[in-house]
């Protein structure tokens, strides 16, 4: 019985780590400019494809591959913000959300046209080895996905809490009008936020490709929704909330599947609704106080 | 204003010319093909298209079909249904209303054929699905046929194989609950395996597009079955066997005809070694019709045809035969000729529609050995 619980916990951690990596991007962007970046799931998808391309053409060591892919995808995120969202920053909020949806559909179809609509096998970057310990089986890939994801999240947490950039980001999140008057370059902070979020999504894309080695142009849609839901469940705008939400959703899905696999998503989303009913701003969300 | 009128006039002329064009081109026999050319099982759509084009080329090289006194060339209108039921419905509407096809070959997966068949039936257009084995596809319909066996038979074949050949006492099933084919055959297997004295210890589901099966497979591992039946499409099976392997699942894995595509091996050959699946035919089984087809296909496309391709080729020739027998380009007459098909000798066996739109054919078991599909045995109905 214990071995099953540990086994399922590992399954949940792997799934949750990937949700959390993507959820962070949703949450950070929302925190800074109050935009729900619906293209984020597709940035995750493009990140996976960029990783595939880098792996096939440059064949670098794994860590270099992750860093190069994160860099390239960060560039993509910054470009998307510069081209599609920046001019809409002061427009109605709905305009930017619709634009984000459009960017997402554009990315899907661009990859479909440029590469193929067919699923691509993802190259094996780390030779999988099964490790068994008294009935619990795991692989080095699974442990790597969980470990590196958590490490990346800790790095992000450090950036936000301990660096000047992070301080500026938190300040912008708090008050977008006054902070630029204090000599902080708002555009730079927004770009940095998109870069960080996209880079994490790219890492998520590569890990996803290692854990489930088949990718297609539409893989970002459902994963994107689930990551977005994780972000909302944890309290959108809160970095810790996004991580927590990702791991909770992963766990709840695994529990649902164990209980009755046909009801997996039903159970998962029932819990989400319950969480929001009890705490409308999410688990770690701050209560909204309206100033008159 | 004048220029706008001019454009309207021009458009009108263009429209007339275009319509006249189709009218002039009407001296050809148009047959629709609905195939998953893109989407999750695109490799299968490609072999469908290959086989259809091959049949078209062969018949036109002979001058076309002999209808009444004249010979008329055949034109296949091949459309992509993306392996989605909603797209299949659109494709069927287009083939019937816009292309005015005489008959439709397709679709391949049962969920798509189930979406297309009511449309063909309502419009009175004969349809043959090459590869859809779910019983509901043809049920209660006059115009819908298939070139393959059905799942009540296939599910039994696999259950018996597990019970008798693999000596399994317990079995587990993991299947896609959102897809008609997978769900149908999983249920037949469960029933037949239990009837044969076995016990189904886990019956787990997922939804199309899922990539993580670890929770379900962990549950299956706890039940410790002798065999694991995966009646799922070839694009998902590799992920499932790989994850089962990583979780340390020891059960022997078996599958069904939805495994048959070269793509299956591209993704997970090492984890599939030694597994078995049921299929419609094997290129290894020697018979003159099959040998000729396999050789021609290999020469043309550089690979062995999968069962979906072979069945599409058979479906095409059944339609050809029916059109010649009907003697006129009339959908109802072709349907009646189809319904009288008896003892048609094709690549995948003998096909008879007299009495039932579901042919009674034998199945083969294929073993994956050395990264290849190898013929194992034949099971007769």
């Amino acid at each position: 019985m214990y071995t099953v619980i540990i086994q399922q916990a590992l399954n949940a951690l792997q799934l949750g780590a990937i949700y959390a990596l993507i959820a962070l991007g949703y949450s950070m962007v929302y925190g800074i400019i109050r935009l729900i970046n619906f293209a984020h799931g597709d940035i995750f998808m493009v990140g996976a494809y960029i990783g595939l391309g880098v792996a096939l053409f440059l064949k670098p060591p794994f860590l270099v591959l992750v860093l190069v892919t994160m860099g390239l995808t960060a560039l993509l995120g910054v470009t998307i913000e510069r081209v599609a969202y920046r001019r809409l920053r002061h427009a109605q909020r709905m305009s930017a959300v619709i634009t984000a949806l459009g960017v997402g559909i554009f990315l899907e179809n661009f990859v479909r046209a440029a590469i193929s609509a067919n699923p691509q096998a993802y190259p094996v970057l780390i030779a999988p080895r099964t490790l068994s310990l008294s009935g619990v089986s795991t692989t080095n890939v699974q442990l790597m996905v969980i470990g590196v994801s958590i490490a990346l999240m800790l790095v992000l947490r450090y950036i936000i809490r301990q660096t000047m950039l992070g301080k500026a980001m938190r300040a912008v999140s708090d008050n977008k009008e006054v902070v630029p008057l204090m000599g902080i370059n708002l555009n730079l902070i927004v770009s940095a936020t998109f870069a960080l979020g996209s880079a994490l999504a790219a890492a998520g894309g590569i890990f996803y490709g290692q854990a489930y080695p088949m990718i297609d142009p539409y893989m970002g849609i459902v994963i994107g929704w689930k990551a977005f839901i994780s972000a909302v469940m944890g309290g959108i705008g809160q970095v810790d909330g996004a991580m927590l939400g990702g791991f909770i959703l992963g766990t709840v899905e695994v529990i649902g599947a164990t209980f009755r696999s046909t009801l997996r998503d039903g159970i998962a989303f029932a819990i989400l609704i319950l969480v929001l009913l009890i705490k409308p701003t999410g688990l770690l969300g701050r209560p909204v106080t309206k100033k008159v | 204003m004048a220029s706008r009128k001019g454009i309207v006039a021009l458009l009108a002329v263009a429209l007339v010319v275009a319509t006249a064009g189709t009218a002039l081109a009407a001296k050809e026999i148009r047959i629709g093909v609905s195939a998953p050319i893109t989407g999750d099982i695109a490799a299968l759509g490609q072999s469908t298209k290959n086989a259809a084009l091959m049949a078209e080329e062969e018949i036109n090289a002979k001058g076309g079909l002999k209808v009444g006194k004249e010979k008329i060339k055949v034109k296949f209108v091949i459309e992509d249904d993306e392996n989605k039921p909603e797209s299949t419905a659109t494709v069927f509407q287009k083939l019937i209303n816009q292309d005015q096809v005489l008959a439709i070959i397709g679709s391949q997966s049962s969920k798509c054929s189930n979406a297309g068949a009511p449309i063909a039936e309502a419009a009175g257009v004969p349809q043959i699905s090459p590869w859809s084995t779910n019983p509901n596809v043809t049920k209660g319909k006059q115009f819908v046929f298939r070139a393959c066996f059905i799942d009540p038979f296939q599910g039994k074949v696999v259950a018996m194989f597990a019970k008798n050949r693999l000596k399994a006492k317990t079995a587990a099933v993991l299947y896609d609950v959102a897809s008609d084919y997978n769900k149908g055959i999983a249920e037949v297997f469960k029933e037949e395996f239990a009837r044969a004295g076995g016990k189904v210890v886990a019956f787990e589901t997922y939804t199309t597009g899922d990539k993580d099966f670890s929770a379900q497979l962990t549950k299956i591992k706890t039940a410790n079955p002798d065999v694991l039946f995966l009646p799922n499409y070839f694009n998902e099976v590799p992920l499932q066997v790989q994850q089962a392997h990583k979780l340390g699942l020891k059960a022997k894995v078996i599958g069904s005809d939805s495994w048959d595509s070269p793509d299956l091996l591209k993704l997970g050959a090492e984890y599939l070694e030694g597994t078995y699946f049921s299929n419609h035919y094997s290129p290894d089984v020697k018979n003159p019709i099959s040998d000729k087809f396999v050789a021609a296909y290999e020469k043309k496309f550089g690979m062995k045809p999968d069962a979906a391709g072979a069945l599409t080729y058979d479906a095409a020739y059944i339609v050809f035969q029916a059109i010649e027998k009907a003697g006129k380009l009339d959908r109802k007459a072709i349907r009646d000729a189809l319904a009288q098909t008896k003892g048609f000798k094709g690549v995948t066996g003998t096909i008879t529609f007299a009495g039932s739109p579901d042919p009674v054919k034998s199945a083969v078991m294929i073993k994956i050995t050395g990264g290849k599909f190898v013929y194992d045995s034949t099971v007769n109905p």
Side-chain angles (χ1 to χ4, degrees):
Chain A
M1 192 60 205
Y2 287 116
T3 55
V4 176
I5 292 173
I6 297 170
Q7 185 80 69
Q8 295 288 29
L10 279 171
N11 298 340
L13 275 174
Q14 172 175 314
L15 202 57
I18 290 170
Y19 290 156
L21 279 177
I22 308 164
L24 281 167
Y26 279 106
S27 217
M28 280 163 58
V29 167
Y30 184 85
I32 298 288
I33 52 170
R34 299 286 179 272
L35 163 71
I36 295 167
N37 181 15
F38 277 119
H40 192 63
D42 297 299
I43 293 177
F44 153 78
M45 176 274 294
V46 176
Y49 272 90
I50 292 177
L52 177 75
V54 173
L56 291 182
F57 292 110
L58 300 178
K59 302 189 178 67
F62 184 69
L63 268 180
V64 179
L65 172 112
V66 173
L67 290 176
V68 170
T69 307
M70 284 173 80
L72 290 173
T73 314
L75 215 60
L76 172 76
V78 171
T79 312
I80 288 172
E81 191 273 327
R82 181 70 195 83
V83 174
Y85 304 152
R86 186 167 292 181
R87 293 170 70 112
L88 293 168
R89 201 176 292 158
H90 299 290
Q92 277 182 22
R93 198 178 293 173
M94 193 52 81
S95 314
V97 171
I98 297 299
T99 308
L101 278 173
V103 170
I105 294 169
F106 168 78
L107 290 177
E108 284 156 26
N109 285 288
F110 179 77
V111 172
R112 176 183 152 140
I115 297 165
S116 159
N118 301 345
Q120 305 286 321
Y122 215 76
V124 178
L125 303 171
I126 295 178
R129 256 197 328 243
T130 306
L131 317 162
S132 279
L133 201 79
S134 60
V136 179
S137 287
T138 182
T139 58
N140 51 349
V141 174
Q142 191 174 35
L143 295 178
M144 187 273 306
V145 168
I146 298 169
V148 179
S149 304
I150 293 176
L152 282 173
M153 288 180 231
L154 291 178
V155 169
L156 177 76
R157 210 157 173 274
Y158 172 80
I159 291 176
I160 288 178
R161 302 206 157 203
Q162 309 285 331
T163 63
M164 279 310 282
L165 174 67
K167 207 173 197 178
M169 282 168 72
R170 280 181 290 140
V172 172
S173 170
D174 219 41
N175 191 321
K176 211 166 35 173
E177 276 72 42
V178 177
V179 166
L181 302 177
M182 307 291 161
I184 291 174
N185 185 341
L186 181 64
N187 286 336
L188 196 72
I189 300 303
V190 173
S191 293
T193 308
F194 270 87
L196 282 173
S198 306
L200 289 176
I206 297 173
F207 298 160
Y208 183 90
Q210 288 308 289
Y212 316 108
M214 203 156 24
I215 61 169
D216 65 79
Y218 304 106
M219 69 190 227
I221 301 175
V222 174
I223 308 262
W225 289 342
K226 291 194 170 164
F228 173 59
I229 288 161
S230 304
V232 172
M233 187 154 57
I236 195 153
Q238 303 297 319
V239 169
D240 290 351
M243 297 183 213
L244 184 68
F247 285 112
I248 289 180
L249 188 65
T251 310
V252 164
E253 281 195 353
V254 166
I255 292 174
T258 314
F259 176 63
R260 177 166 271 194
S261 44
T262 320
L263 295 178
R264 187 191 65 188
D265 287 357
I267 295 170
F269 291 103
I271 290 180
L272 164 80
I273 293 170
L274 213 64
V275 166
L276 291 182
L277 279 177
I278 297 165
K279 242 180 149 282
T281 51
L283 288 168
L284 298 185
R286 274 175 290 184
V288 184
T289 44
K290 271 233 151 96
K291 287 178 214 130
V292 182
Chain B
M1 257 341 225
S3 72
R4 189 173 294 175
K5 255 185 203 157
I7 290 168
V8 169
L10 209 66
L11 279 176
V13 171
L15 197 68
V16 169
V17 171
T19 340
T22 31
L24 281 177
K27 263 289 160 241
E28 62 182 9
I29 296 167
R30 247 172 300 169
I31 299 169
V33 178
S34 173
I37 294 165
T38 63
D40 51 1
I41 57 167
L44 196 121
Q46 197 54 51
S47 62
T48 308
K49 191 176 167 186
N50 288 348
L53 290 175
M54 215 173 106
E56 182 192 56
E57 201 174 287
E58 281 173 12
I59 204 76
N60 286 339
K62 290 180 191 156
L65 290 173
K66 193 165 184 304
V67 182
K69 285 196 182 62
E70 53 180 338
K71 280 220 159 186
I72 309 175
K73 295 231 167 170
V74 172
K75 169 92 190 118
F76 276 135
V77 186
I78 303 174
E79 290 289 337
D80 178 14
D81 62 38
E82 305 166 53
N83 197 33
K84 289 183 194 152
E86 60 275 20
S87 306
T88 310
T90 316
V91 163
F92 269 60
Q93 300 282 13
K94 180 196 172 263
L95 288 173
I96 293 168
N97 300 320
Q98 197 176 317
D99 300 312
Q100 305 272 328
V101 297
L102 277 173
I104 295 174
I105 295 170
S107 178
Q108 296 293 27
S109 72
S110 294
K111 65 177 175 190
C112 289
S113 292
N114 274 337
I119 297 166
E121 178 74 11
V125 177
Q127 174 195 355
I128 300 189
S129 166
W131 198 58
S132 297
T133 48
N134 187 281
N136 290 336
V137 173
T138 56
K139 205 179 226 170
K141 299 185 185 79
Q142 295 292 314
F143 283 81
V144 186
F145 303 85
R146 73 177 101 219
C148 50
F149 50 62
I150 54 175
D151 288 333
F153 167 64
Q154 184 178 202
K156 194 174 173 182
V157 166
V158 180
M160 288 307 176
F161 187 85
K163 191 80 193 35
N164 301 332
R165 184 69 189 281
L166 300 179
K167 308 276 179 239
K169 292 189 181 69
T170 52
V173 186
L174 174 67
Y175 67 97
D176 180 355
V177 73
S179 181
D180 296 340
Y181 161 79
N182 313 44
K183 191 166 178 283
I185 189 168
E187 278 158 7
V188 174
F189 176 87
K190 189 182 179 191
E191 201 174 292
E192 292 292 341
F193 192 73
R195 187 174 295 165
K199 194 161 178 254
V200 176
V201 290
F203 200 63
E204 297 296 317
T205 65
Y206 64 93
T207 311
T208 318
D210 281 359
K211 300 280 160 69
D212 185 275
F213 313 98
S214 54
Q216 291 96 319
L217 288 168
T218 301
K219 205 177 163 191
I220 289 172
K221 189 188 169 192
T222 319
N224 196 23
D226 296 331
V227 296
L228 170 60
F229 180 41
L230 298 173
N232 306 313
Y233 291 106
F234 58 85
N235 63 321
E236 289 172 326
V237 171
L239 284 179
Q240 292 160 359
V241 285
Q242 199 172 342
Q243 288 175 30
H245 181 84
K246 285 178 182 170
L247 288 167
L249 209 75
K250 294 280 181 288
K252 284 181 184 149
V253 177
I254 48 173
S256 48
D257 68 317
S258 51
W259 282 29
D260 183 27
S261 169
D263 262 27
L264 180 83
L265 297 170
K266 273 191 207 156
L267 284 155
E270 49 177 313
Y271 302 105
L272 286 158
E273 192 65 22
T275 58
Y276 292 88
F277 66 94
S278 56
N279 202 6
H280 302 272
Y281 100 115
S282 163
D284 298 347
V285 178
K286 298 288 163 208
N287 92 50
I289 304 168
S290 166
D291 292 352
K292 197 176 144 229
F293 166 73
V294 173
Y297 190 99
E298 258 190 304
K299 194 175 161 216
K300 207 166 156 72
F301 304 110
M303 56 172 150
K304 282 213 158 85
D306 55 18
L311 289 164
T312 303
Y313 186 81
D314 281 353
Y317 272 92
I318 295 172
V319 174
F320 294 164
Q321 188 187 2
I323 292 173
E324 289 197 331
K325 208 157 126 203
K328 52 183 171 179
L329 302 182
D330 174 67
R331 289 165 172 174
K332 180 74 174 57
I334 294 168
R335 182 259 155 213
D336 292 342
L338 271 176
Q340 288 162 19
T341 305
K342 214 178 230 168
F344 170 88
K345 288 212 178 351
V347 175
T348 60
T350 309
I351 295 166
T352 295
F353 289 147
S356 163
D358 307 325
V360 177
K361 296 164 76 181
S362 45
V364 296
M365 291 303 296
I366 307 277
K367 185 179 187 184
I368 299 178
T369 314
K372 282 199 183 82
F373 294 154
V374 178
Y375 168 78
D376 180 76
S377 53
T378 301
V379 186
N380 292 313

